[in-house]
Amino acid sequence: ILGHLWEPLWPKGQLFPRENCINEQLYSHYIDYLNIPLLRNVWLFVNYRQKLLQLISAHGKPAICLSYNLYPFSALLGHYMQHILRIPFVPIVADGPPKGIFFSRVHDHLLNSYAGCTFLSWGYYCQFINNSNPSLHLDGGVNLLSYDSVQMVNGSDKLKVIFYAGSLGKHGGIDNL
C-alpha cells in the first residue's frame, strides 16, 4: 500500500502533511508532499514514482497496480506504469472527477488508456459500458456482524482478496482490516 494524508491546499491545510497515518501492521509506505497549489500534484507524482521504483528494485514488478479514483498525479503515474514500466494499471473510480476543472475534461479519455477500470458507481459504469476497455462494477460490502473469517479461510483453498476503498487516515477504517 502506498498512500498519503490528503489535506486541503495550504493555507487551509498543512504545508507539509507528514502524519504517518497508515496502519503499521500492513506492508505500507507513506508519501509526503508539499501542499501548495500547482506543486502538490508534481510533488506527489515524483514521490510516488520514486517509492514505486524503490519497491520494484527491491521486490520486482507487481502483477497489477490499483488506484482509488484518478487525480492528476495518479493519472500521470498510471500512464507511466502502464506505458513505460508495462505494469497494468486499473483505477477504481467512485463518482468521476469534480466538475469544472481542466482535469475533468481529460479524465474519461485517460480511463480508456489503462488496462481496465473498476467502478463503484453504477451510473458512471453505465457511461463506460460501450468502451473497448475492460470494466467492472462493484457494489456491496461486508456486514461485520455476519462476517466469519474462519469460514473465509477454511471454506476454500482459493486466494481471498479484500478490497478496501476507504481512507488510509487514522479515522477511516483501515484498522478494521
Side-chain angles (χ1 to χ4, degrees), residues 23-39:
N23 185 310
E24 293 179 8
Q25 295 176 342
L26 301 173
Y27 184 72
S28 56
H29 300 276
Y30 177 75
I31 306 296
D32 63 351
Y33 61 101
L34 180 61
N35 195 22
I36 294 177
L38 301 177
L39 290 181

Side-chain angles (χ1 to χ4, degrees), residues 1-2 48 52 56 61-68 74 77-78 81-82 85-92 114-118:
I1 296 175
L2 293 177
Y48 270 98
L52 175 68
I56 289 172
K61 284 184 182 182
I64 191 170
C65 181
L66 304 174
S67 175
Y68 184 71
S74 61
L77 190 65
M81 286 189 282
Q82 178 84 27
L85 299 178
R86 302 286 187 224
I87 299 170
F89 180 78
V90 178
I92 298 158
Y114 302 128
C117 198
T118 300

Side-chain angles (χ1 to χ4, degrees), residues 2-173:
L2 293 177
H4 66 279
L5 177 65
W6 193 261
E7 279 282 318
L9 286 169
W10 181 84
K12 189 175 182 180
Q14 296 177 35
L15 183 60
F16 287 102
R18 293 183 187 259
E19 178 184 350
N20 191 345
C21 58
I22 296 178
N23 185 310
E24 293 179 8
Q25 295 176 342
L26 301 173
Y27 184 72
S28 56
H29 300 276
Y30 177 75
I31 306 296
D32 63 351
Y33 61 101
L34 180 61
N35 195 22
I36 294 177
L38 301 177
L39 290 181
R40 173 169 64 182
N41 285 310
V42 173
W43 198 282
L44 283 168
F45 169 75
V46 168
N47 285 353
Y48 270 98
R49 181 182 171 274
Q50 179 181 10
K51 180 54 78 174
L52 175 68
L53 292 175
Q54 288 172 357
L55 291 171
I56 289 172
S57 177
H59 305 288
K61 284 184 182 182
I64 191 170
C65 181
L66 304 174
S67 175
Y68 184 71
N69 275 336
L70 276 185
Y71 300 97
F73 75 90
S74 61
L76 185 57
L77 190 65
H79 182 80
Y80 175 77
M81 286 189 282
Q82 178 84 27
H83 300 288
I84 305 297
L85 299 178
R86 302 286 187 224
I87 299 170
F89 180 78
V90 178
I92 298 158
V93 180
D95 295 316
K99 301 299 179 207
I101 60 171
F102 168 74
F103 184 64
S104 68
R105 287 183 249 154
V106 297
H107 180 270
D108 295 352
H109 174 71
L110 287 169
L111 289 178
N112 288 318
S113 71
Y114 302 128
C117 198
T118 300
F119 296 93
L120 303 181
S121 161
W122 177 250
Y124 208 52
Y125 170 77
C126 289
Q127 292 178 25
F128 279 83
I129 197 90
N130 294 323
N131 291 335
S132 60
N133 204 18
S135 58
L136 172 69
H137 173 253
L138 295 178
D139 202 350
V142 175
N143 181 348
L144 293 179
L145 298 176
S146 65
Y147 175 75
D148 183 355
S149 61
V150 174
Q151 182 182 5
M152 288 289 290
V153 173
N154 296 330
S156 171
D157 60 350
K158 293 183 180 180
L159 175 67
K160 302 297 182 194
V161 175
I162 295 177
F163 169 67
Y164 175 75
S167 168
L168 295 178
K170 60 185 170 187
H171 303 292

